[in-house]
Amino acid sequence: MLVLSRKPNESIIIGDNVEITVVEVRGEQVKLGITAPREVPVHRKEIYNSIHDQNINSSKNNHANLDKLSQLFKKKRGSSE
Amino acid sequence: MKTIVVQEEKSIGTKESLMFFPEGIIGFSDHKEFEIVCDKSKEPFVWMKSIKDNSLAFIIIDPKEFKQEYNPVLSISDKAALQIDNLAECSIYSLVCVPKQSDEISANLLAPIIINKNTKIGRQVILQEQDYSVKHLILEDMLRKIEDTDVSSFSQAK
């Protein structure tokens, strides 16, 4: 990991079109401003990680359970009509 | 090694079912093309399979199957990436997680799959400032929804 020190209002440029600016430092909290092309998603890491993990879980589905659930819903639909 | 046995697998149709994800999906950024495949034995769940690697397959579902009032609000950058002005131009799916405990089946409402119906460009968006869950339990909601569609059977419920 590259570690750089910045003061408020100083920036870092990543590649050609991503810029991160230290907007404010207050106690333990650092406010960062991000300028990036519109299509580049920017997210807090812990949220990104939770979605990443859940995506991996979604790719490893228990097929037997899926079949069971599908049958359950079809049966319920059938009996509700 | 895992063997997947698929019965009655049917693509909706090659052109219609192929989706392009310029940024892949989160954690799978090099999988940029997916096919949506219907499998009768899995209804109402649907497969989203990677073209690059067919063994990568997600289960997705239309969130209306369990939540009528799901209102994702897209950011400006998501709308720009999808080239849409409003959500009516899109199909919305939730990624489903089916664990060993089948009653813990959940859908990711915080990061839905949004697909531009015309261009077939898709993206997994992360909703900002909306309090949806990554693991929204759906079993009860789905069963209740089926019951609610028939008012007379609901009134006969024990």
Side-chain angles (χ1 to χ4, degrees), chain B residues 121-155:
Chain B
I121 300 231
R123 185 173 169 96
Q124 180 173 30
V125 316
I126 302 183
L127 301 177
Q128 317 270 14
E129 288 164 39
Q130 285 186 281
D131 200 18
Y132 287 123
S133 168
V134 164
K135 268 192 201 161
H136 180 88
L137 297 177
I138 63 175
L139 182 59
E140 271 192 44
D141 288 344
M142 282 180 78
L143 293 173
R144 200 181 312 126
K145 187 160 194 300
I146 294 171
E147 271 179 78
D148 287 351
T149 14
D150 184 34
V151 175
S152 58
S153 78
F154 187 72
S155 66

Side-chain angles (χ1 to χ4, degrees), chain A residues 65 69, chain B residues 99-106 137-140:
Chain A
N65 280 347
L69 287 165
Chain B
K100 284 206 182 113
Q101 280 288 112
S102 59
D103 56 350
E104 284 170 20
I105 178 175
S106 66
L137 297 177
I138 63 175
L139 182 59
E140 271 192 44

